[in-house]
Amino acid sequence: MKRYELIVPCHFGLETVLKREIIDLGYDVTEVNDGRVTFIGDAEAICRANIFLRTAERVLIKVTSFRAETFEELFQGTKAVGWDEFIPADGKFYVTKAAGIKSKLFSSSDIQSIVKKAIVERLKESYHIEWFKEDGAAYPLRVFILKDEVTISLDTTGESLHKRGYRKLTAKAPIAENLAASLILLTPWKSERILVDPFCGSGTIPIEAALIAAGIAPGVSRTFTAVDWPNLVPVKEWHDIREEAKEDEDLTVETDIQAYDIDEKIIAAARENARLAGVEKLIHFQKRGIDQLRHPKKYGFIITNPPYGERIEDKENLPDIYKNLGKQFKNLDAWSLYMITAYEEAERDMKCKAEKNRKIYNGMMKTYFYQFPGPKPPKRVV
């Protein structure tokens, strides 16, 4: 089976988490750059990566790379590719995204136009036709130019992988599903440990935790662009990998995942999202303010995305919110706290100093993942 160089973008600052996921799937990572991880894989790897990766944005097949400082070089470099190996005669192909960074070519619309024209000219020669109906499957392309080095890729995913399909109802400023999963995987939390999100919003962090606990693959119930590419990925591969994923699910797992929010309507929305994800029985939802955050047991985890001025009207409330969070956390016995926020004064208001602080870009917003790890529980005597 043909092997491809597969590029997997992710949130900036979370490349190490994605790299570990890819290695855990059994593939060798060949390159790690800002916001992307590259590995070698075949058609099965394309299916497996789309269905199983929790922290990725999408899975791209790298078609070509070459240097271009002019539009003529961009045209000729693109035209030199054997595009008929990837796109059938009836394929609908288009450049869905183009970007140039630190390059002489930077106009997205011009890059898109030149690349499309070059592919058309090459396919005219390959298929000996002058007009393409483009009434078949979609083959979206992405062009990325960094320091005049052009990379053209086919997007096997389509709608971003963070869209699992369960989040129909959202609160303000919801955290992306793949970002929530990344944060959880950055912590030592395991399914047998307590997890509380006191600012659950749409329920994304608790739901992603429940999916991890139950072994539910994030992409098992959604579709992908490459499902319609039998010329590159046999339909049987998708069927076999989905069946494998379903066999790994275990909804009988015992969990103590709790989701709180002060707004009853938001709690109702989060509960519905959990139902759609199939994990509502693994999460306890409750209307509860931060001042009511307490738990009788030890060694629990708080993993949360508290307000930081984006989803509340009055930023003047922020100091009190973080003050209460710090106070309640200190009252919990031997707990750990992990939170992502763009609020610069979080540690000051909480009166807590994080042991670690990781910078993560949530889209274009710079955020910080504050980590306050607590003591490890004693090992159980067998």
Side-chain angles (χ1 to χ4, degrees), residues 172-354:
K172 292 182 180 179
I175 187 171
E177 293 90 322
N178 59 344
L179 176 54
S182 299
L183 301 183
I184 296 166
L185 294 175
L186 276 172
T187 79
W189 177 79
K190 302 296 180 186
S191 60
E192 66 272 13
R193 304 281 293 275
I194 304 161
L195 188 154
V196 175
D197 182 357
F199 304 99
C200 76
S202 303
T204 310
I205 290 176
I207 291 171
E208 289 295 319
L211 292 173
I212 292 170
I216 299 174
V220 70
S221 298
R222 55 159 286 174
T223 190
F224 308 97
T225 303
V227 169
D228 297 324
W229 299 356
N231 61 314
L232 297 178
V233 186
V235 175
K236 187 177 183 298
E237 294 287 357
W238 293 105
H239 177 268
D240 290 348
I241 301 301
R242 287 188 197 275
E243 287 301 309
E244 177 189 327
K246 289 176 182 177
E247 288 175 4
D248 291 341
E249 296 178 5
D250 180 13
L251 286 168
T252 66
V253 64
E254 291 187 9
T255 61
D256 189 349
I257 301 173
Q258 302 183 31
Y260 307 146
D261 203 283
I262 199 169
D263 189 324
E264 197 163 335
K265 290 182 179 179
I266 288 178
I267 285 292
R271 185 179 286 112
E272 174 63 10
N273 288 337
R275 186 191 69 79
L276 293 169
V279 294
E280 73 276 18
K281 293 181 179 179
L282 302 181
I283 307 170
H284 173 68
F285 291 96
Q286 186 177 353
K287 178 188 174 184
R288 185 185 289 196
I290 187 62
D291 57 335
Q292 296 174 293
L293 176 59
R294 57 183 64 91
H295 201 289
K297 295 182 180 179
K298 299 176 68 171
Y299 307 114
F301 283 74
I302 299 169
I303 305 178
T304 192
N305 174 38
Y308 40 86
E310 291 298 311
R311 65 179 187 182
I312 58 176
E313 296 294 328
D314 190 358
K315 291 187 178 183
E316 293 180 359
N317 292 335
L318 292 180
D320 285 340
I321 289 173
Y322 284 85
K323 179 181 177 181
N324 282 330
L325 175 58
K327 178 183 176 182
Q328 299 307 118
F329 172 55
K330 288 177 182 177
N331 289 334
L332 291 165
D333 189 3
W335 276 52
S336 301
L337 168 62
Y338 297 85
M339 69 173 185
I340 185 170
T341 181
Y343 182 49
E344 299 279 354
E345 308 299 335
E347 290 175 297
R348 182 201 68 185
D349 292 341
M350 290 175 62
K351 294 183 172 58
C352 295
K353 180 65 177 176

Side-chain angles (χ1 to χ4, degrees), residues 9-10 12 36 57-58 60 94-101 106-109 111-113 115 139-145 150-155 363-364:
C10 64
F12 281 87
R36 59 184 54 206
E57 292 281 348
R58 58 187 67 252
L60 309 173
Y94 51 92
V95 180
T96 184
K97 187 174 182 180
I101 299 174
F106 55 85
S107 169
S108 296
S109 59
I111 294 169
Q112 289 173 306
S113 176
V115 168
Y139 289 79
L141 297 133
R142 291 187 166 233
V143 183
F144 181 60
I145 308 178
V150 180
T151 300
I152 305 179
S153 305
L154 271 171
D155 181 6
M364 297 302 293

Side-chain angles (χ1 to χ4, degrees), residues 165-170 272-273 276:
Y166 65 75
R167 198 166 71 181
K168 305 300 183 184
L169 303 171
T170 63
E272 174 63 10
N273 288 337
L276 293 169

